[in-house]
Amino acid sequence: MSGIPALPALPPRGAAARRPVRLTAEERAVRRRDYFSAILFMAPALLLVSIFLLAPVVYNILISFTGWSHFKGFNRFVGLANYRHAINNPDFSAAASNTVVWVIASLVLPVLIGLGLAVLLRGLKGEEFLKTIFFLPRLVAPTAIGAIWYYVYADNGVVNTILKQVGAGRFAESWLYQASTATPAMIIAYVWQTTGLVMVLLLLGLAALPRDPIEAATVEGASRWQIFRHIVLPMLMPTVLVVTTISIIAGFTTFDLVWVMGRDYPNPSSLTLAIHQYWESFRSGHWAYGAAIAVLLGGIALIVTLLQVILQQRVESRIR
Amino acid sequence: MSVAGSSRRFALAGAATLAVLWLVPFYYAVSTICKSTAQYLSGTPLSLPPSLSSLPGNIEAAWAQTQMGQGMLNSLGYGVLGAGGAVLAAASAAYALARIVFPARTTWFMVIFAGTVFPFQIYLIPLFQGYARFGLLNTRLGLLMAYMAICVPFPTLVLRNHMGQIPRDLDEAARMDGCSHFRIFRSIILPNSTGPLIALFLLQFTWIWNDLIFSMVLTTETAQRSVMNALMVFQGNYAGTTPNLVITASVLASLPTVAVFLLLRRYFMQGLSLSVHA
Amino acid sequence: MKRRDVLAAFAAAALAGQFRQGLAATDLKLYHDKYFWQDFLKKMATFAASKGHPFTPTPYATDQYQAFIASGVQAGSPPDMFSWWNGTKLAELVEANALAPLDDVWHEAISSGEAEQSVADLLTVDGHVYGVPLTVNYWGVAYNKALFAKAGVTVPTSWDELMTISAKLKASGITPFNATIQDGWRGFIWFEELLIRTDPDAYAQLNAGKIGYTSAPVKRVFALWGELYQRGFFTPATSNEEFLDFARGKAAMYLIGDWAYANLMQDGLQPGKDFDAFIMPNVEKSLQPSIIIEASPLVISRAGAKKDDVMSFARWWMTPEAGVAWGQYASLNTGDPKVPKPNPVVASLTNAVTATHAKLITRYWEASPSDIVLPAVEQFNKFMVNPTPAVAEQCMNSIEHTAKDYWANNK
């Protein structure tokens, strides 16, 4: 939850706009001192961010254009070779297509179920209780969730046992070992974990909506669905957009859950792009190639965020 | 109205069914931690444990084999110092950005905020390589600094918005009286921001506690690794581990954040709404 | 308010103090990626400390271990002392100028009869010996004596016999072979074994990049491997309790390095009584007996070699005193001639190797370049989960793609 919020609204400009035309010497001195204090106040944050985040980003981009050697490090400029290697690498293609499945599923399922639950549970008698049930998985760390679901899907685990008990034993499967089932199985665990959060975020959005238009429409005899479709949903759109962006980026960078559940997979490197990146760099020592994958992931995140900003502005201008 | 009522009952039934399904993994986890290894291996995964008598033994074994005490202590340190330091650094930066007039504020803000635009994957290799070079690999300090840095940008955004909304009369009067920026920050702005500060601290603390990838990449020795890393190693180290112990360890590792949530629910919800409305 | 501040400051200071402690460790660390030995190494550390050679065994997650060492080497500061492998893996480190040769140490030890030239040969790169042996392991076939008796079969002396007893075991409801992809690295075991049993020359050529992974010998291995799977001779590859599975009698035979015997003993089997081991017979009758050998050295970095405590530890490790203790704690063959074999199974396997003059063949993991081995193992894993001809074809093509790439850049 640390990163990936919406891009900020720009700060109120009032103070800056009130700039006087001419400054006295004393005022200039105050300004200089203010600038100096501002830098001092920002210094810890600036230092932390530039040393541990921004410099690494630059370094990562640079090395993605170099060649690697297992023990000698980055030795020569190779242009786009690492990126070309990605295109020719079957594990990369598999990981990329799995990641697309992840993004779509982790977007559609939690948002859909979460939206349904949010609308459904609102104002219900057992709202708090049911909300807590759906939110509960979110409180458990993804690593722990992965460990629990790992055994749910084990050969003698929960799923296979239930299948055998209901006489469907022939459908029992090594869920986390087969290319066709591993990704869906992990996505189910992921949906189980994230839907509650999405629901709560949407409920917060719903709670913030103005009541008047809804009440007016009710008086005019609009059906619940009409009210939802034509009044609630458009007003909720900004929240849905933020939640969508969070979901997309979280979906395609999910690491812990997939790692804990998927490291027994025959070739984990083909599971998702985040795992591919980790595996190629930290297990196989293909640092420069791993850096290139990270750049690709960063590029996708940037595009998604930009899209969200553009859509957000559109939606907001339509509401006003 | 009766049609709407029945469709609502139908929907409620659906939600209730879904809720029951949602609880199955919890039921599995809770019943499993009450089974001895022999009981787990001989019964079916969803069978009820015969008694609670195996639970203390499981907790003891999982705690010892994971070296969870060490992991929890480490994670507590990372969480408290990392989230605390980050929120303080963010508050101080937010003060400058929201309350001091100086040129190119937006640009300065964007420099700090740029840290949230990238997925974590882009930091891993540079941090690992850089840490290896400067001797920070497998040190608590190294991991702590990485956590702290990651937790700065988002609180900066939230606190800047919050501090921008605190009435200006307060500190303008104080400035007239010759108060320094530090005094204003310390005695006017911070006390007026405790709500968001606590909410943000909790949000970042939970994130650090739950993080796996940075701890995996930057620390792998028992003495420095976080509780989630310890859990991951235990789960993957099949020799001598059994499902009941791994799941006991998973539950143990999750309890602190669950407890914090239950105790400070209000602030948590505030933190969540911050992440949408920021 | 004030008092709370003071308390908070104290708490922060206490935590910070706790943190600083972690930075101060100065003792000699032995890095390794063998979690299943950590308990044995801890016992060894206690013993070593009592003899004036304290060290701290420091386990590292296997999948990150090579990256960890590699990054240290790149940064010019690898750990002083760490476990490694022989063959190509050792040569890669030597080529990166990361290791100090220990020719003197070996010379002394060999001339005093405490070390064997044959072990030194395993750890020699370009005429210099690197590291001291942690273990020297033969890869024989462990078999469950009770299950053999139950099915009325005896140790096979030829491939045909092996197939006959496997069929018999299968008919009595016993799976012949225990094999999984646990921990992600095991996929190569049967590939390598079947290749050296059918065409050892091709094995050498494959490792040197002279033939490809779609060549006839490799195809033959996959066909044979698939046939064994089809006949139901293997346990499911998806179990993650490989040692335990064998200890519980889920399969009659287990092709694994003799280091695993310690784990089988931990899981309740008695060496010699419950299980023993034999050398896998060749598929091609004309071939001379051979066995896979794996040497795991403890290597010393150039920086480490300059430190007295590191070098005196390395010398001590070569002595029978250390060898006997280590062999006993870990039930391992330490490669030290003065040390008695740690358990009867290792002893009988060693005797069989000596008696048959079996040719020692370097394990695939150490014989092929890492950049091929790691992706190849994943492909072998894939095949073991879905052992069909179609998957075999995919695996061969995929590895060939990787290998071609590698050899094009590294000739």
Side-chain angles (χ1 to χ4, degrees), chain C residues 46-301:
Chain C
T46 314
F47 177 73
S50 77
K51 299 292 174 190
H53 298 280
F55 73 100
T56 312
T58 310
Y60 219 94
T62 307
D63 43 69
Q64 283 180 26
Y65 186 68
Q66 291 187 50
F68 165 65
I69 299 294
S71 71
V73 171
Q74 277 171 35
S77 56
D80 290 338
M81 183 169 78
F82 53 98
S83 80
W84 201 246
W85 297 271
N86 63 328
T88 320
K89 284 236 161 40
L90 188 60
E92 283 170 350
L93 270 189
V94 171
E95 198 200 330
N97 204 19
L99 301 183
L102 301 180
D103 297 335
D104 299 348
V105 177
W106 278 91
H107 188 76
E108 283 167 31
I110 291 173
S111 53
S112 67
E114 286 173 4
E116 259 176 21
Q117 186 60 42
S118 66
V119 177
D121 291 345
L122 284 171
L123 304 179
T124 300
V125 177
D126 298 335
H128 297 287
V129 199
Y130 295 89
V132 296
L134 203 50
T135 70
V136 176
N137 304 107
Y138 295 123
W139 282 62
V141 183
Y143 67 98
N144 184 315
K145 285 187 153 178
L147 293 180
F148 264 42
K150 195 175 146 201
V153 298
T154 51
V155 173
T157 53
S158 70
W159 185 259
D160 291 341
E161 272 180 52
L162 181 68
M163 290 299 102
T164 315
I165 67 157
S166 298
K168 255 190 169 169
L169 284 161
K170 186 76 197 164
S172 344
I174 301 162
T175 308
F177 296 109
N178 193 36
T180 73
I181 62 169
Q182 182 184 326
D183 298 335
W185 60 266
R186 288 169 155 88
F188 69 86
I189 296 173
W190 275 84
F191 170 78
E192 145 203 279
E193 192 74 21
L194 292 176
L195 189 51
I196 67 163
R197 298 302 161 205
T198 50
D199 194 343
D201 294 338
Y203 177 71
Q205 289 169 332
L206 188 72
N207 292 332
K210 299 217 170 74
I211 62 168
Y213 281 81
T214 47
S215 59
V218 175
K219 283 191 171 142
R220 184 176 171 197
V221 163
F222 269 100
L224 184 53
W225 200 2
E227 189 197 318
L228 297 182
Y229 264 108
Q230 226 194 339
R231 296 175 73 179
F233 284 0
F234 286 110
T235 52
T238 51
S239 165
N240 53 34
E241 298 185 328
E242 197 180 90
F243 298 141
L244 260 180
D245 284 346
F246 185 72
R248 286 189 196 125
K250 283 208 172 166
M253 288 176 276
Y254 186 16
L255 172 60
I256 194 78
D258 61 23
W259 44 261
Y261 302 161
N263 299 85
L264 298 179
M265 286 152 61
Q266 250 180 350
D267 293 337
L269 292 187
Q270 277 199 39
K273 182 168 158 279
D274 295 329
F275 73 103
D276 210 329
F278 60 87
I279 301 176
M280 180 82 85
N282 287 317
V283 177
E284 285 299 330
K285 291 185 187 72
S286 57
L287 294 172
Q288 97 176 77
S290 64
I291 192 163
I292 291 289
I293 188 165
E294 163 196 6
S296 197
L298 208 52
V299 294
I300 312 285
S301 68

Side-chain angles (χ1 to χ4, degrees), chain B residues 25 55 115 122 154 181 208:
Chain B
L55 182 59
I122 211 161
F154 177 65
H181 278 301
I208 294 176

Side-chain angles (χ1 to χ4, degrees), chain A residues 1-13 15-16 18 30-31 34-35 37-42 44-46 48-49 52-54 56-57 59-61 63 74 113 117 119-124 128 130-144 146-152 156-158 161-162 165 191-193 195-197 200-201 204-205 208 224 239 242-243 246 252-253 255-256 259-261 263-264 274 277-278 281-282 287 290-291 294-295 297-298 301-302 305, chain B residues 4 8 11-12 15-16 18-19 21-26 28-29 40 44-46 85-86 89-90 92-93 95-97 100-106 108-129 131 136 142 145-146 148-154 156-157 160-161 164 168 175 181-182 185 203-204 207 209-213 216-217 228 231-233 235-236 238 241-243 246-247 250-251 254 257-258 261-262 265 268-269 272-273 275-278:
Chain A
M1 266 316 293
S2 150
I4 49 184
L7 266 192
L10 291 177
R13 294 242 177 165
R18 259 190 279 119
V30 170
R31 297 229 141 182
D34 272 358
Y35 199 5
S37 323
I39 299 287
L40 267 187
F41 269 93
M42 291 189 298
L46 282 173
L48 279 169
V49 168
F52 294 96
L53 304 183
L54 300 184
V57 169
Y59 182 62
N60 187 86
I61 293 173
I63 60 178
F74 312 99
I113 303 176
L117 286 173
V119 174
L120 206 65
L121 295 182
R122 211 163 124 68
L124 217 63
E128 275 307 305
L130 286 172
K131 236 164 70 180
T132 311
I133 290 182
F134 288 108
F135 192 71
L136 221 49
R138 177 70 211 181
L139 297 177
V140 184
T143 309
I148 294 170
W149 281 80
Y150 174 87
Y151 292 108
V152 169
N156 298 314
V158 176
T161 307
I162 292 180
Q165 277 170 353
V191 168
W192 179 75
Q193 193 207 6
T195 299
L197 175 71
V200 167
L201 292 180
L204 286 168
R224 288 177 63 87
T239 312
V242 176
V243 171
I246 295 178
F252 88 90
T253 54
F255 178 85
D256 23 26
W259 176 251
V260 173
M261 291 173 79
R263 68 184 138 153
D264 289 341
Q277 196 267 346
Y278 172 82
S281 340
F282 289 92
W287 305 104
V295 171
L297 283 170
L302 213 59
T305 314
Chain B
R8 189 143 177 87
L12 179 58
L18 209 54
L21 264 178
W22 234 250
L23 286 174
V24 170
F26 283 113
Y28 168 65
Y40 184 88
T44 63
L46 287 180
S92 139
Y95 173 78
L97 292 164
I100 304 180
V101 181
F102 63 97
R105 284 201 298 182
T106 313
W108 283 110
F109 170 72
M110 278 310 190
V111 170
I112 298 177
F113 192 71
T116 59
V117 177
F118 304 97
F120 296 142
Q121 276 71 26
I122 211 161
Y123 307 126
L124 300 178
I125 297 172
L127 284 179
F128 181 78
Q129 299 268 340
Y131 276 22
L136 281 171
M145 295 310 282
M148 211 186 273
I150 289 163
C151 292
V152 162
F154 177 65
T156 306
L157 162 71
R160 188 194 61 153
N161 291 353
R168 289 190 175 264
R175 288 217 79 179
H181 278 301
F182 183 75
F185 174 61
L203 208 62
Q204 306 301 335
W207 178 76
W209 185 276
N210 286 349
D211 170 70
L212 176 65
I213 189 158
M216 249 171 87
V217 166
M228 290 305 152
L231 175 61
M232 184 276 296
V233 168
Q235 187 252 356
Y238 308 103
T241 61
T242 46
V246 174
I247 290 174
S250 304
V251 171
S254 306
T257 42
V258 174
F261 171 82
L262 294 177
R265 202 188 156 106
F268 246 103
M269 285 306 168
L272 287 182
S273 70
S275 56
V276 192
H277 296 299

